[in-house]
Amino acid sequence: ELNFNLVKPFEIGFDTITKDANEESVLPEDAVSRWREEGFCLVNGVHTKDLIEKARNECYQVVNESYFEKETKIFGSAGKLEFPSLSDSLNHVILHPRLLYSVAQLL
């Protein structure tokens, strides 16, 4: 069994990719190799902390906070966070070019 706490994530800076990123690589070659050889790679820095924080805050607004505080959590959000979401920031996270280029790099 793999313990992800023992796996060091690859760190990429947010400035790794430019507006003309269709010809740029987002992920380091080591991350792509891990994906191909081990079936996973952990990466920090795909999105800015500000965007992640905005998405998190909007998610709490979309879904009642008490839902997240329950000791026994059920799977899903009763459809409130399905794509496209009511959260503009969450939609931006999902469709951000850096994420899409990262996924394309792994395919």
Side-chain angles (χ1 to χ4, degrees):
E1 187 171 310
L2 182 62
N3 182 346
F4 286 104
N5 293 326
L6 301 176
V7 178
K8 183 178 178 187
F10 294 96
E11 300 286 339
I12 58 174
F14 192 75
D15 58 350
T16 303
I17 197 167
T18 64
K19 289 182 181 177
D20 300 323
N22 54 356
E23 297 181 24
E24 299 273 344
S25 293
V26 177
L27 302 175
E29 203 49 49
D30 292 352
V32 176
S33 294
R34 178 173 290 158
W35 172 263
R36 291 184 178 146
E37 294 168 12
E38 300 181 38
F40 76 96
C41 66
L42 303 176
V43 181
N44 285 335
V46 174
H47 298 299
T48 64
K49 290 180 181 179
D50 183 53
L51 178 58
I52 297 298
E53 188 64 30
K54 283 181 185 177
R56 179 182 299 133
N57 289 338
E58 286 179 16
C59 287
Y60 279 121
Q61 291 172 5
V62 170
V63 179
N64 185 331
E65 262 188 66
S66 63
Y67 170 85
F68 292 101
E69 294 171 358
K70 292 179 184 175
E71 286 187 34
T72 306
K73 295 181 182 175
I74 58 171
F75 182 76
S77 62
K80 293 180 181 179
L81 295 178
E82 292 177 0
F83 183 79
S85 170
L86 298 174
S87 164
D88 290 335
S89 294
L90 185 58
N91 291 333
H92 190 65
V93 166
I94 294 167
L95 293 177
H96 196 285
R98 287 173 54 90
L99 180 61
L100 298 178
Y101 292 131
S102 296
V103 171
Q105 214 178 332
L106 298 174
L107 296 178

